[in-house]
PDB file of all heavy atoms in Angstrom:
ATOM      1  N   GLY A   1       0.820  -1.183  -0.018  1.00  0.00           N
ATOM      2  CA  GLY A   1      -0.037   0.015   0.010  1.00  0.00           C
ATOM      3  C   GLY A   1       0.836   1.312   0.010  1.00  0.00           C
ATOM      4  O   GLY A   1       0.308   2.329  -0.460  1.00  0.00           O
ATOM      5  N   ASP A   2       2.064   1.291   0.409  1.00  0.00           N
ATOM      6  CA  ASP A   2       2.886   2.317   0.281  1.00  0.00           C
ATOM      7  C   ASP A   2       3.005   2.890  -1.062  1.00  0.00           C
ATOM      8  O   ASP A   2       3.132   2.091  -2.012  1.00  0.00           O
ATOM      9  CB  ASP A   2       4.363   2.071   0.771  1.00  0.00           C
ATOM     10  CG  ASP A   2       4.510   1.834   2.315  1.00  0.00           C
ATOM     11  OD1 ASP A   2       3.590   2.185   3.026  1.00  0.00           O
ATOM     12  OD2 ASP A   2       5.499   1.143   2.805  1.00  0.00           O
ATOM     13  N   ILE A   3       3.048   4.113  -1.313  1.00  0.00           N
ATOM     14  CA  ILE A   3       2.952   4.639  -2.713  1.00  0.00           C
ATOM     15  C   ILE A   3       4.496   4.982  -3.068  1.00  0.00           C
ATOM     16  O   ILE A   3       5.227   5.622  -2.487  1.00  0.00           O
ATOM     17  CB  ILE A   3       2.270   6.074  -2.724  1.00  0.00           C
ATOM     18  CG1 ILE A   3       0.783   5.778  -2.298  1.00  0.00           C
ATOM     19  CG2 ILE A   3       2.295   6.582  -4.162  1.00  0.00           C
ATOM     20  CD1 ILE A   3       0.008   4.781  -3.089  1.00  0.00           C
ATOM     21  N   ILE A   4       4.764   4.295  -4.263  1.00  0.00           N
ATOM     22  CA  ILE A   4       6.201   4.298  -4.822  1.00  0.00           C
ATOM     23  C   ILE A   4       6.013   5.002  -6.182  1.00  0.00           C
ATOM     24  O   ILE A   4       5.228   4.912  -6.832  1.00  0.00           O
ATOM     25  CB  ILE A   4       6.714   2.941  -4.962  1.00  0.00           C
ATOM     26  CG1 ILE A   4       6.980   2.229  -3.550  1.00  0.00           C
ATOM     27  CG2 ILE A   4       7.990   2.895  -5.742  1.00  0.00           C
ATOM     28  CD1 ILE A   4       7.271   0.824  -3.740  1.00  0.00           C
ATOM     29  N   THR A   5       7.186   5.899  -6.252  1.00  0.00           N
ATOM     30  CA  THR A   5       7.280   6.607  -7.562  1.00  0.00           C
ATOM     31  C   THR A   5       8.698   6.238  -8.196  1.00  0.00           C
ATOM     32  O   THR A   5       9.649   6.397  -7.561  1.00  0.00           O
ATOM     33  CB  THR A   5       7.202   8.086  -7.451  1.00  0.00           C
ATOM     34  OG1 THR A   5       5.916   8.402  -6.991  1.00  0.00           O
ATOM     35  CG2 THR A   5       7.539   8.866  -8.787  1.00  0.00           C
ATOM     36  N   ILE A   6       8.679   5.857  -9.545  1.00  0.00           N
ATOM     37  CA  ILE A   6       9.912   5.538 -10.232  1.00  0.00           C
ATOM     38  C   ILE A   6       9.969   6.518 -11.404  1.00  0.00           C
ATOM     39  O   ILE A   6       8.920   6.539 -12.133  1.00  0.00           O
ATOM     40  CB  ILE A   6       9.895   4.227 -10.794  1.00  0.00           C
ATOM     41  CG1 ILE A   6       9.595   3.070  -9.601  1.00  0.00           C
ATOM     42  CG2 ILE A   6      11.158   3.798 -11.439  1.00  0.00           C
ATOM     43  CD1 ILE A   6       9.262   1.734 -10.100  1.00  0.00           C
ATOM     44  N   ASP A   7      10.905   7.305 -11.508  1.00  0.00           N
ATOM     45  CA  ASP A   7      11.024   8.325 -12.591  1.00  0.00           C
ATOM     46  C   ASP A   7      12.402   8.156 -13.228  1.00  0.00           C
ATOM     47  O   ASP A   7      13.446   8.685 -12.670  1.00  0.00           O
ATOM     48  CB  ASP A   7      10.943   9.777 -11.987  1.00  0.00           C
ATOM     49  CG  ASP A   7      10.860  10.934 -13.015  1.00  0.00           C
ATOM     50  OD1 ASP A   7      11.399  10.598 -14.108  1.00  0.00           O
ATOM     51  OD2 ASP A   7      10.248  11.979 -12.754  1.00  0.00           O
ATOM     52  N   ALA A   8      12.376   7.297 -14.344  1.00  0.00           N
ATOM     53  CA  ALA A   8      13.607   7.048 -15.043  1.00  0.00           C
ATOM     54  C   ALA A   8      14.144   8.247 -15.818  1.00  0.00           C
ATOM     55  O   ALA A   8      15.270   8.344 -16.180  1.00  0.00           O
ATOM     56  CB  ALA A   8      13.419   5.856 -16.019  1.00  0.00           C
ATOM     57  N   ILE A   9      13.289   9.324 -16.074  1.00  0.00           N
ATOM     58  CA  ILE A   9      13.821  10.391 -16.762  1.00  0.00           C
ATOM     59  C   ILE A   9      14.599  11.276 -15.768  1.00  0.00           C
ATOM     60  O   ILE A   9      15.695  11.815 -16.191  1.00  0.00           O
ATOM     61  CB  ILE A   9      12.615  11.255 -17.292  1.00  0.00           C
ATOM     62  CG1 ILE A   9      11.882  10.404 -18.344  1.00  0.00           C
ATOM     63  CG2 ILE A   9      12.983  12.589 -17.949  1.00  0.00           C
ATOM     64  CD1 ILE A   9      10.591  11.022 -18.888  1.00  0.00           C
ATOM     65  N   ARG A  10      14.154  11.423 -14.655  1.00  0.00           N
ATOM     66  CA  ARG A  10      14.870  12.189 -13.635  1.00  0.00           C
ATOM     67  C   ARG A  10      15.992  11.392 -12.884  1.00  0.00           C
ATOM     68  O   ARG A  10      16.735  11.851 -11.991  1.00  0.00           O
ATOM     69  CB  ARG A  10      13.928  12.931 -12.611  1.00  0.00           C
ATOM     70  CG  ARG A  10      13.029  13.942 -13.358  1.00  0.00           C
ATOM     71  CD  ARG A  10      12.071  14.519 -12.434  1.00  0.00           C
ATOM     72  NE  ARG A  10      12.611  15.325 -11.329  1.00  0.00           N
ATOM     73  CZ  ARG A  10      11.896  15.906 -10.386  1.00  0.00           C
ATOM     74  NH1 ARG A  10      10.680  15.862 -10.282  1.00  0.00           N
ATOM     75  NH2 ARG A  10      12.610  16.636  -9.545  1.00  0.00           N
ATOM     76  N   GLY A  11      15.826  10.054 -12.897  1.00  0.00           N
ATOM     77  CA  GLY A  11      16.765   9.144 -12.198  1.00  0.00           C
ATOM     78  C   GLY A  11      16.412   9.093 -10.749  1.00  0.00           C
ATOM     79  O   GLY A  11      17.398   8.959  -9.915  1.00  0.00           O
ATOM     80  N   GLU A  12      15.138   8.885 -10.490  1.00  0.00           N
ATOM     81  CA  GLU A  12      14.676   8.955  -9.050  1.00  0.00           C
ATOM     82  C   GLU A  12      13.837   7.808  -8.665  1.00  0.00           C
ATOM     83  O   GLU A  12      13.081   7.295  -9.567  1.00  0.00           O
ATOM     84  CB  GLU A  12      13.978  10.234  -8.657  1.00  0.00           C
ATOM     85  CG  GLU A  12      14.768  11.482  -8.821  1.00  0.00           C
ATOM     86  CD  GLU A  12      14.009  12.790  -8.624  1.00  0.00           C
ATOM     87  OE1 GLU A  12      12.784  12.780  -8.310  1.00  0.00           O
ATOM     88  OE2 GLU A  12      14.614  13.883  -8.602  1.00  0.00           O
ATOM     89  N   ILE A  13      13.924   7.277  -7.553  1.00  0.00           N
ATOM     90  CA  ILE A  13      13.042   6.203  -7.047  1.00  0.00           C
ATOM     91  C   ILE A  13      12.763   6.509  -5.554  1.00  0.00           C
ATOM     92  O   ILE A  13      13.686   6.643  -4.740  1.00  0.00           O
ATOM     93  CB  ILE A  13      13.584   4.767  -7.208  1.00  0.00           C
ATOM     94  CG1 ILE A  13      12.704   3.781  -6.682  1.00  0.00           C
ATOM     95  CG2 ILE A  13      14.985   4.599  -6.597  1.00  0.00           C
ATOM     96  CD1 ILE A  13      13.010   2.358  -7.105  1.00  0.00           C
ATOM     97  N   SER A  14      11.491   6.655  -5.230  1.00  0.00           N
ATOM     98  CA  SER A  14      11.117   7.030  -3.881  1.00  0.00           C
ATOM     99  C   SER A  14       9.946   6.469  -3.386  1.00  0.00           C
ATOM    100  O   SER A  14       9.019   6.041  -4.214  1.00  0.00           O
ATOM    101  CB  SER A  14      10.997   8.561  -3.810  1.00  0.00           C
ATOM    102  OG  SER A  14      10.021   8.977  -4.694  1.00  0.00           O
ATOM    103  N   VAL A  15       9.701   6.414  -2.074  1.00  0.00           N
ATOM    104  CA  VAL A  15       8.519   5.958  -1.405  1.00  0.00           C
ATOM    105  C   VAL A  15       7.908   7.089  -0.655  1.00  0.00           C
ATOM    106  O   VAL A  15       8.821   7.974  -0.048  1.00  0.00           O
ATOM    107  CB  VAL A  15       8.758   4.731  -0.541  1.00  0.00           C
ATOM    108  CG1 VAL A  15       9.732   5.051   0.602  1.00  0.00           C
ATOM    109  CG2 VAL A  15       7.322   4.271   0.141  1.00  0.00           C
ATOM    110  N   ASP A  16       6.692   7.339  -0.738  1.00  0.00           N
ATOM    111  CA  ASP A  16       5.993   8.537  -0.145  1.00  0.00           C
ATOM    112  C   ASP A  16       5.788   8.412   1.336  1.00  0.00           C
ATOM    113  O   ASP A  16       4.736   8.237   1.892  1.00  0.00           O
ATOM    114  CB  ASP A  16       4.650   8.731  -0.820  1.00  0.00           C
ATOM    115  CG  ASP A  16       4.021  10.123  -0.314  1.00  0.00           C
ATOM    116  OD1 ASP A  16       4.842  10.952   0.231  1.00  0.00           O
ATOM    117  OD2 ASP A  16       2.818  10.396  -0.551  1.00  0.00           O
ATOM    118  N   LEU A  17       6.913   8.310   2.018  1.00  0.00           N
ATOM    119  CA  LEU A  17       6.923   8.212   3.491  1.00  0.00           C
ATOM    120  C   LEU A  17       8.012   9.151   4.025  1.00  0.00           C
ATOM    121  O   LEU A  17       8.988   9.485   3.512  1.00  0.00           O
ATOM    122  CB  LEU A  17       7.420   6.822   3.831  1.00  0.00           C
ATOM    123  CG  LEU A  17       6.497   5.641   3.575  1.00  0.00           C
ATOM    124  CD1 LEU A  17       7.169   4.410   3.826  1.00  0.00           C
ATOM    125  CD2 LEU A  17       5.172   5.700   4.307  1.00  0.00           C
ATOM    126  N   ALA A  18       7.629   9.765   5.155  1.00  0.00           N
ATOM    127  CA  ALA A  18       8.527  10.697   5.877  1.00  0.00           C
ATOM    128  C   ALA A  18       9.684   9.978   6.410  1.00  0.00           C
ATOM    129  O   ALA A  18       9.517   8.858   6.794  1.00  0.00           O
ATOM    130  CB  ALA A  18       7.776  11.422   6.911  1.00  0.00           C
ATOM    131  N   ALA A  19      10.832  10.664   6.610  1.00  0.00           N
ATOM    132  CA  ALA A  19      11.924  10.083   7.198  1.00  0.00           C
ATOM    133  C   ALA A  19      11.664   9.523   8.539  1.00  0.00           C
ATOM    134  O   ALA A  19      12.218   8.462   8.921  1.00  0.00           O
ATOM    135  CB  ALA A  19      13.198  11.176   7.191  1.00  0.00           C
ATOM    136  N   GLU A  20      10.861  10.279   9.367  1.00  0.00           N
ATOM    137  CA  GLU A  20      10.514   9.701  10.578  1.00  0.00           C
ATOM    138  C   GLU A  20       9.743   8.383  10.597  1.00  0.00           C
ATOM    139  O   GLU A  20      10.013   7.518  11.411  1.00  0.00           O
ATOM    140  CB  GLU A  20       9.566  10.832  11.348  1.00  0.00           C
ATOM    141  CG  GLU A  20      10.411  12.108  11.700  1.00  0.00           C
ATOM    142  CD  GLU A  20      10.415  13.015  10.441  1.00  0.00           C
ATOM    143  OE1 GLU A  20       9.727  12.670   9.421  1.00  0.00           O
ATOM    144  OE2 GLU A  20      11.163  14.007  10.519  1.00  0.00           O
ATOM    145  N   THR A  21       8.889   8.298   9.657  1.00  0.00           N
ATOM    146  CA  THR A  21       8.141   6.985   9.490  1.00  0.00           C
ATOM    147  C   THR A  21       9.105   5.885   9.183  1.00  0.00           C
ATOM    148  O   THR A  21       8.986   4.764   9.764  1.00  0.00           O
ATOM    149  CB  THR A  21       7.123   7.120   8.352  1.00  0.00           C
ATOM    150  OG1 THR A  21       6.293   8.210   8.727  1.00  0.00           O
ATOM    151  CG2 THR A  21       6.236   5.816   8.231  1.00  0.00           C
ATOM    152  N   LEU A  22      10.072   6.125   8.256  1.00  0.00           N
ATOM    153  CA  LEU A  22      11.087   4.991   7.942  1.00  0.00           C
ATOM    154  C   LEU A  22      11.842   4.740   9.237  1.00  0.00           C
ATOM    155  O   LEU A  22      12.187   3.633   9.383  1.00  0.00           O
ATOM    156  CB  LEU A  22      11.884   5.505   6.780  1.00  0.00           C
ATOM    157  CG  LEU A  22      11.306   5.444   5.365  1.00  0.00           C
ATOM    158  CD1 LEU A  22      12.104   6.270   4.415  1.00  0.00           C
ATOM    159  CD2 LEU A  22      10.986   4.083   4.933  1.00  0.00           C
ATOM    160  N   ASP A  23      12.289   5.810   9.908  1.00  0.00           N
ATOM    161  CA  ASP A  23      12.972   5.463  11.188  1.00  0.00           C
ATOM    162  C   ASP A  23      12.215   4.616  12.264  1.00  0.00           C
ATOM    163  O   ASP A  23      12.771   3.647  12.808  1.00  0.00           O
ATOM    164  CB  ASP A  23      13.471   6.753  11.834  1.00  0.00           C
ATOM    165  CG  ASP A  23      14.444   7.558  11.059  1.00  0.00           C
ATOM    166  OD1 ASP A  23      15.198   6.924  10.198  1.00  0.00           O
ATOM    167  OD2 ASP A  23      14.694   8.894  11.132  1.00  0.00           O
ATOM    168  N   GLU A  24      10.924   4.881  12.278  1.00  0.00           N
ATOM    169  CA  GLU A  24      10.123   4.084  13.208  1.00  0.00           C
ATOM    170  C   GLU A  24      10.091   2.651  12.838  1.00  0.00           C
ATOM    171  O   GLU A  24      10.270   1.815  13.544  1.00  0.00           O
ATOM    172  CB  GLU A  24       8.779   4.710  13.343  1.00  0.00           C
ATOM    173  CG  GLU A  24       8.657   6.031  13.939  1.00  0.00           C
ATOM    174  CD  GLU A  24       7.239   6.681  13.979  1.00  0.00           C
ATOM    175  OE1 GLU A  24       6.359   6.047  13.344  1.00  0.00           O
ATOM    176  OE2 GLU A  24       7.040   7.830  14.329  1.00  0.00           O
ATOM    177  N   ARG A  25       9.861   2.531  11.485  1.00  0.00           N
ATOM    178  CA  ARG A  25       9.750   1.116  10.928  1.00  0.00           C
ATOM    179  C   ARG A  25      11.208   0.418  11.133  1.00  0.00           C
ATOM    180  O   ARG A  25      11.253  -0.821  11.377  1.00  0.00           O
ATOM    181  CB  ARG A  25       9.460   1.108   9.501  1.00  0.00           C
ATOM    182  CG  ARG A  25       8.087   1.552   9.269  1.00  0.00           C
ATOM    183  CD  ARG A  25       7.561   1.378   7.726  1.00  0.00           C
ATOM    184  NE  ARG A  25       6.321   1.867   7.443  1.00  0.00           N
ATOM    185  CZ  ARG A  25       5.694   1.759   6.298  1.00  0.00           C
ATOM    186  NH1 ARG A  25       6.371   1.318   5.299  1.00  0.00           N
ATOM    187  NH2 ARG A  25       4.462   2.186   6.204  1.00  0.00           N
ATOM    188  N   ARG A  26      12.323   1.157  10.877  1.00  0.00           N
ATOM    189  CA  ARG A  26      13.662   0.542  11.006  1.00  0.00           C
ATOM    190  C   ARG A  26      13.780   0.071  12.608  1.00  0.00           C
ATOM    191  O   ARG A  26      14.401  -1.010  12.711  1.00  0.00           O
ATOM    192  CB  ARG A  26      14.651   1.613  10.689  1.00  0.00           C
ATOM    193  CG  ARG A  26      16.087   0.881  10.606  1.00  0.00           C
ATOM    194  CD  ARG A  26      17.049   1.905  10.067  1.00  0.00           C
ATOM    195  NE  ARG A  26      16.853   1.971   8.560  1.00  0.00           N
ATOM    196  CZ  ARG A  26      16.409   3.120   7.959  1.00  0.00           C
ATOM    197  NH1 ARG A  26      16.015   4.114   8.626  1.00  0.00           N
ATOM    198  NH2 ARG A  26      16.325   3.031   6.602  1.00  0.00           N
ATOM    199  N   ALA A  27      13.318   0.873  13.499  1.00  0.00           N
ATOM    200  CA  ALA A  27      13.542   0.548  14.836  1.00  0.00           C
ATOM    201  C   ALA A  27      12.738  -0.804  15.205  1.00  0.00           C
ATOM    202  O   ALA A  27      13.202  -1.606  16.070  1.00  0.00           O
ATOM    203  CB  ALA A  27      13.022   1.576  15.752  1.00  0.00           C
ATOM    204  N   GLY A  28      11.668  -1.035  14.433  1.00  0.00           N
ATOM    205  CA  GLY A  28      10.888  -2.291  14.702  1.00  0.00           C
ATOM    206  C   GLY A  28      11.323  -3.322  13.814  1.00  0.00           C
ATOM    207  O   GLY A  28      10.695  -4.526  13.817  1.00  0.00           O
ATOM    208  N   TRP A  29      12.162  -3.250  12.883  1.00  0.00           N
ATOM    209  CA  TRP A  29      12.688  -4.216  11.893  1.00  0.00           C
ATOM    210  C   TRP A  29      13.354  -5.462  12.734  1.00  0.00           C
ATOM    211  O   TRP A  29      14.153  -5.307  13.553  1.00  0.00           O
ATOM    212  CB  TRP A  29      13.720  -3.684  10.895  1.00  0.00           C
ATOM    213  CG  TRP A  29      14.163  -4.594   9.897  1.00  0.00           C
ATOM    214  CD1 TRP A  29      13.414  -5.310   9.029  1.00  0.00           C
ATOM    215  CD2 TRP A  29      15.469  -4.911   9.564  1.00  0.00           C
ATOM    216  NE1 TRP A  29      14.151  -6.054   8.136  1.00  0.00           N
ATOM    217  CE2 TRP A  29      15.490  -5.847   8.438  1.00  0.00           C
ATOM    218  CE3 TRP A  29      16.727  -4.627  10.062  1.00  0.00           C
ATOM    219  CZ2 TRP A  29      16.677  -6.388   7.894  1.00  0.00           C
ATOM    220  CZ3 TRP A  29      17.885  -5.088   9.539  1.00  0.00           C
ATOM    221  CH2 TRP A  29      17.863  -6.035   8.418  1.00  0.00           C
ATOM    222  N   LYS A  30      12.910  -6.615  12.298  1.00  0.00           N
ATOM    223  CA  LYS A  30      13.360  -7.880  13.042  1.00  0.00           C
ATOM    224  C   LYS A  30      14.613  -8.459  12.425  1.00  0.00           C
ATOM    225  O   LYS A  30      15.098  -9.534  12.949  1.00  0.00           O
ATOM    226  CB  LYS A  30      12.177  -8.873  12.979  1.00  0.00           C
ATOM    227  CG  LYS A  30      11.039  -8.409  13.640  1.00  0.00           C
ATOM    228  CD  LYS A  30       9.896  -9.574  13.637  1.00  0.00           C
ATOM    229  CE  LYS A  30       8.688  -9.185  14.315  1.00  0.00           C
ATOM    230  NZ  LYS A  30       7.564 -10.086  14.295  1.00  0.00           N
ATOM    231  N   GLY A  31      15.329  -7.868  11.443  1.00  0.00           N
ATOM    232  CA  GLY A  31      16.488  -8.318  10.963  1.00  0.00           C
ATOM    233  C   GLY A  31      16.308  -9.148   9.756  1.00  0.00           C
ATOM    234  O   GLY A  31      15.227  -9.332   9.297  1.00  0.00           O
ATOM    235  N   ALA A  32      17.420  -9.531   9.203  1.00  0.00           N
ATOM    236  CA  ALA A  32      17.428 -10.219   7.904  1.00  0.00           C
ATOM    237  C   ALA A  32      16.598 -11.421   8.052  1.00  0.00           C
ATOM    238  O   ALA A  32      16.719 -12.338   8.992  1.00  0.00           O
ATOM    239  CB  ALA A  32      18.913 -10.529   7.454  1.00  0.00           C
TER     240      ALA A  32
END
């Protein structure tokens, strides 16, 4: 459900999530 944008013209790939949200998810990541 996360919104992802791939722009090959500009050379960008991103997910529409704030850095804080990514940090929160990283803190809860269970590892490889």
Side-chain angles (χ1 to χ4, degrees):
D2 290 342
I3 301 302
I4 293 172
T5 297
I6 307 164
D7 188 335
I9 296 172
R10 298 175 63 180
E12 297 175 357
I13 181 169
S14 61
V15 57
D16 187 16
L17 294 172
E20 293 79 11
T21 303
L22 286 170
D23 288 342
E24 288 173 8
R25 291 186 184 181
R26 186 171 287 107
W29 182 57
K30 296 179 180 180

